[in-house]
Amino acid sequence: MSLTIHTTVLPHDDADASVAFYRDVLGFEVRTDVGQGRMRWITVGPPDQPGTSILLGPPAVDPGITDDERRTITEMMAKGTYGWILLATDDLDGTFERVQDHDVEVVQEPTDQPYGLRDCAFRDPAGNLVRIRAIS
């Protein structure tokens, strides 16, 4: 059996702002964009990795979610504690420079971590943590 990671999901609360972040700031391509208004599901990914995607979708719209759960998700997104993703690059400092040139919340500048990694972090427009680690 062979499994791959095909798509991961992050919530958005403003589809246009999220598309602008992932396309214009991170350089991802938009692969699909369905729905309208707040009910849009957008697939983005690195242009050279067609088999790996991020699905940006509206939060808390799944059937069966209670109003309390929906409220908790909304509160966690507002705090930036709901969604996150770990990306990797062979040019961490260059990527950090390019990303911080945009109106993006910097959470952490490039840092050598005590566990052996070098990484930085930003928040996307929905508050999701986007951590980027260096690879060689």
Side-chain angles (χ1 to χ4, degrees), residues 10-92:
L10 289 175
H12 73 72
D13 55 4
D14 180 332
D16 291 332
S18 289
V19 166
F21 176 80
Y22 286 94
R23 183 193 57 213
D24 303 338
V25 176
L26 296 184
F28 288 177
E29 64 183 8
V30 176
R31 296 179 178 154
T32 63
D33 187 345
V34 299
Q36 58 185 340
R38 293 191 59 161
M39 299 299 284
R40 284 172 59 193
W41 287 262
I42 303 116
T43 306
V44 297
D48 61 342
Q49 298 174 40
T52 304
S53 300
I54 300 171
L55 174 62
L56 305 168
V61 295
D62 298 315
I65 292 180
T66 67
D67 288 342
D68 284 343
E69 291 167 333
R70 193 168 286 114
R71 189 174 24 261
T72 297
I73 291 169
T74 301
E75 290 170 358
M76 290 180 73
M77 284 181 66
K79 291 180 184 176
T81 58
Y82 185 67
W84 70 281
I85 190 165
L86 177 61
L87 305 175
T89 180
D90 60 359
D91 181 14
L92 183 66

